[in-house]
Amino acid sequence: MTFNELLKELNINDFDLETQVQTHIFHKDNWDYEEALTFQEKVNEFIYDNPEQMVYIITSHPEVFTMGRGLQRNQIEQHGLVDFDQAIINKIDVPVVNIKRGGGLTFHHPGQVIVYPIVHIGRQKLKTIELINNLFKSTVRAIENNDKTISNLDFDRPLLGLWHGEKKLASMGVQLKRFVSMHGMALNVYPSQKMNRALQLTFPCGLPGDIYNTLVNVSEDVIDKENYRSNFIKCLKEQLLN
């Protein structure tokens, strides 16, 4: 089965696809999280059977929190992180979906660009941290190519993520299933008022909600946020296909 045949079999609609040699860039915005998760799982199986290929899913989701297996105790103690309090679920106007990846609470909304790399790290001769760092490097280059006013981006810190000063622009969490990656990076391009209200009560990745920032807030340009996001995605696709 080819990747195009998989898409037809799953009856996926309203998407863009770019393919170069063995790399596929699949783009579908504002996708229901659980539908996108099911798609990730199917693509994970496809890559397990076709390990020479790679798929990057670029998407966004309506406002949703995802909850992994929880923060590690040593992370909480070392960095002063705060794990998710289940008691606040009824106080936030955003659904919480439990998933199998490691880590704690993360958040998604339409103003993000989310990248899920589905890669057989054994066949591609990568360590997990190399896969993560390669995605961060591609993202930084895309940000800087799209917006010359943004610099000093940093992902070499004890707390995983993409940082600009003391503010976090992107979160990262990868799970391996039979050596094939799932989940990935959520980059905050522009804010969501609904999510900002929920962030006042939560600690994504164990951190206070106000530590998170967006590219449009960092940029010194006058920005049409949707065009800005679209132009960034074009730059990111170029980097991922290089």
Side-chain angles (χ1 to χ4, degrees):
M1 177 184 290
T2 68
F3 187 61
N4 281 320
E5 288 170 343
L6 175 66
L7 296 177
K8 290 179 181 178
E9 179 180 286
L10 296 176
N11 195 28
I12 305 294
N13 299 309
D14 302 321
F15 64 88
D16 294 319
L17 179 64
E18 294 184 33
T19 297
Q20 184 171 299
V21 192
Q22 301 280 22
T23 301
H24 310 281
I25 309 290
F26 174 96
H27 177 204
K28 179 178 174 65
D29 273 331
N30 205 29
W31 200 359
D32 175 83
Y33 181 81
E34 293 186 86
E35 289 181 10
L37 179 59
T38 298
F39 179 66
Q40 273 196 79
E41 291 167 346
K42 294 294 185 181
V43 177
N44 182 279
E45 294 171 4
F46 171 80
I47 293 298
Y48 181 77
D49 293 332
N50 300 273
E52 72 283 357
Q53 301 189 45
M54 297 185 289
V55 176
Y56 291 92
I57 302 169
I58 298 178
T59 189
S60 61
H61 305 300
E63 284 83 356
V64 65
F65 284 107
T66 66
M67 183 64 205
R69 292 187 292 268
L71 298 172
Q72 296 179 2
R73 180 55 52 188
N74 65 328
Q75 288 182 312
I76 293 173
E77 294 173 354
Q78 182 178 356
H79 300 292
L81 306 181
V82 179
D83 214 345
F84 182 59
D85 181 359
Q86 296 283 342
I88 71 166
I89 285 182
N90 294 329
K91 297 180 181 179
I92 55 178
D93 186 27
V94 174
V96 179
V97 177
N98 290 303
I99 57 177
K100 295 179 181 178
R101 62 157 171 77
L105 190 74
T106 61
F107 65 95
H108 300 304
H109 60 77
Q112 292 181 328
V113 170
I114 298 167
V115 185
Y116 298 126
I118 316 297
V119 175
H120 193 298
I121 65 169
R123 181 59 180 266
Q124 301 301 330
K125 298 181 180 179
L126 290 169
K127 296 178 181 178
T128 305
I129 191 61
E130 291 174 324
L131 175 68
I132 288 170
N133 285 341
N134 288 345
L135 181 51
F136 275 139
K137 290 173 185 176
S138 294
T139 301
V140 169
R141 287 193 293 265
I143 291 170
E144 293 177 346
N145 287 345
N146 184 53
D147 188 337
K148 302 304 182 185
T149 73
I150 296 179
S151 60
N152 300 319
L153 299 169
D154 174 21
F155 55 87
D156 185 17
R157 299 194 186 187
L159 290 175
L160 190 63
L162 181 62
W163 296 80
H164 183 267
E166 298 306 310
K167 297 291 186 177
K168 191 175 183 182
L169 293 174
S171 299
M172 178 79 77
V174 170
Q175 170 197 359
L176 293 181
K177 182 178 180 182
R178 298 189 299 178
F179 298 102
V180 181
S181 61
M182 287 183 60
H183 305 292
M185 181 190 71
L187 172 69
N188 305 315
V189 178
Y190 63 81
S192 157
Q193 291 185 356
K194 182 177 181 180
M195 182 54 71
N196 282 349
R197 290 193 295 270
L199 289 177
Q200 294 175 15
L201 299 172
T202 54
F203 291 80
C205 301
L207 298 168
D210 62 5
I211 206 168
Y212 292 89
N213 206 352
T214 67
L215 291 180
V216 297
N217 287 340
V218 172
S219 175
E220 296 176 9
D221 283 344
V222 177
I223 292 167
D224 178 304
K225 64 182 184 181
E226 287 294 348
N227 284 338
Y228 186 88
R229 182 178 179 278
S230 296
N231 290 335
F232 165 74
I233 289 173
K234 291 178 184 177
C235 292
L236 181 61
K237 288 178 178 179
E238 291 174 0
Q239 293 299 321
L240 294 175
L241 287 172
N242 282 343

